[in-house]
Amino acid sequence: MTLLSVGFAPHQHNGDEAFAIFEYSLDADQLDGVLMVAYTSDGEVTGVTSED
């Protein structure tokens, strides 16, 4: 698994909505199969999604 990008939403710093979204490639040789993990500003996971 390879980290592709990290996105921040600084306006979400005091809530239950995603403050940071980490996007991972499931296969380093292909960009298909992306896993996205969203976190609050407190470091709690708010969601995990995958895309092909």
Side-chain angles (χ1 to χ4, degrees), residues 4-37:
L4 297 175
S5 67
V6 178
F8 292 99
H11 60 281
Q12 301 292 359
H13 69 279
N14 285 328
D16 294 333
E17 296 185 38
F19 172 75
I21 300 175
F22 287 63
E23 185 175 357
Y24 298 93
S25 172
L26 300 178
D27 184 350
D29 295 330
Q30 297 180 4
L31 292 179
D32 293 342
V34 174
L35 180 71
M36 291 180 285
V37 182

